[in-house]
Amino acid sequence: GDSVTQMEGPVTLSEEAFLTINCTYTATGYPSLFWYVQYPGEGLQLLLKATKADDKGSNKGFEATYRKETTSFHLEKGSVQVSDSAVYFCALLRSGNTGKLIFGQGTTLQVKP
Amino acid sequence: ETGVTQTPRHLVMGMTNKKSLKCEQHLGHNAMYWYKQSAKKPLELMFVYNFKEQTENNSVPSRFSPECPNSSHLFLHLHTLQPEDSALYLCASSLGTDKGNTIYFGEGSWLTVV
């Protein structure tokens, strides 16, 4: 079945460091891909999305490119801040009309001053 | 403010109690969802409703009973729960259920079963 795999956390970085969180997926058809972020004690917020191959999603300095050839959607940010500390979830929305969002296990990011 | 409001934010209930979680969306969406987030498992879909009709039940035990009276409101009725049902329950909504849609989440309801 369809699945999403994220790199194990926690990821600990110093402020202004470069961030990459790896995400790969397995899916039949052509899913849409998402990154959601969860701050402590809160629900999920959409960070960015891409709906087809080679699309780049971007928001708040974060970027991810839909790579069909490597089935990947890695999240990057050039310079992280302490306020970026959160759990990041990669997810796919399957082709077809199911509305079924499939999540990776989440990656915790800690940014230290 | 995401446009999806969940109440209560925190709930503690005994195993013999009956309680309900409520979700309301102000986005004009047609599809609504319940997800469960527990400490040891990835986020998992429980139910999908599209235009008030249930279109997905992800093998959820019958002690969880959803209700969708209209496209703006979704309930999760809880009865005779187990301690392992303690989790964050997230409601979400989207305009439709095809892959071009974006799913927006509420803040969640933290449930503790004692």
Side-chain angles (χ1 to χ4, degrees):
Chain A
D2 296 356
S3 65
V4 176
T5 302
Q6 292 180 233
M7 61 189 288
E8 294 273 342
V11 173
T12 303
L13 296 172
S14 297
E15 210 165 21
E16 299 184 5
F18 185 86
L19 168 71
T20 301
I21 300 178
N22 289 339
C23 171
T24 57
Y25 67 91
T26 303
T28 52
Y30 302 94
S32 292
L33 301 173
F34 302 83
W35 278 99
Y36 285 88
V37 58
Q38 186 174 35
Y39 298 101
E42 298 186 11
L44 295 178
Q45 296 179 26
L46 176 69
L47 185 58
L48 51 86
K49 65 182 267 192
T51 57
K52 61 183 188 299
D54 300 324
D55 267 3
K56 179 188 280 189
S58 60
N59 185 27
K60 299 181 182 177
F62 290 91
E63 292 183 340
T65 301
Y66 190 144
R67 301 280 187 207
K68 191 170 186 306
E69 63 277 11
T70 54
T71 61
S72 65
F73 193 54
H74 305 320
L75 182 68
E76 296 182 337
K77 186 175 185 184
S79 175
V80 293
Q81 306 300 312
V82 172
S83 57
D84 293 326
S85 299
V87 182
Y88 292 81
F89 292 92
C90 185
L92 70 84
L93 188 57
R94 304 165 76 177
S95 301
N97 206 21
T98 67
K100 191 166 185 176
L101 199 56
I102 295 171
F103 285 91
Q105 66 269 42
T107 302
T108 300
L109 171 65
Q110 275 187 325
V111 181
K112 300 196 170 178
Chain B
E1 176 59 49
T2 66
V4 180
T5 304
Q6 292 187 239
T7 55
R9 292 294 313 279
H10 298 270
L11 177 63
V12 179
M13 61 185 287
M15 289 190 283
T16 58
N17 290 162
K18 288 184 181 181
K19 297 283 186 184
S20 296
L21 306 180
K22 179 183 174 184
C23 176
E24 183 174 2
Q25 59 93 1
H26 311 275
L27 300 169
H29 288 167
N30 302 306
M32 296 189 78
Y33 311 79
W34 281 115
Y35 280 81
K36 177 182 178 182
Q37 185 178 26
S38 51
K40 298 187 178 173
K41 292 173 114 178
L43 274 150
E44 49 185 342
L45 176 68
M46 300 175 73
F47 302 102
V48 180
Y49 279 82
N50 197 19
F51 291 98
K52 303 189 298 177
E53 299 298 319
Q54 188 182 113
T55 57
E56 182 89 20
N57 176 339
N58 200 25
S59 303
V60 180
S62 59
R63 58 186 184 270
F64 295 92
S65 173
E67 179 191 359
C68 188
N70 55 61
S71 292
S72 298
H73 293 86
L74 184 65
F75 296 89
L76 189 63
H77 303 301
L78 315 168
H79 59 99
T80 59
L81 295 191
Q82 305 298 310
E84 59 265 27
D85 296 322
S86 299
L88 177 66
Y89 290 85
L90 290 160
C91 176
S93 72
S94 62
L95 192 58
T97 55
D98 65 80
K99 75 176 187 106
N101 287 280
T102 298
I103 296 176
Y104 295 92
F105 286 82
E107 297 286 317
S109 293
W110 290 94
L111 173 66
T112 303
V113 181
V114 297

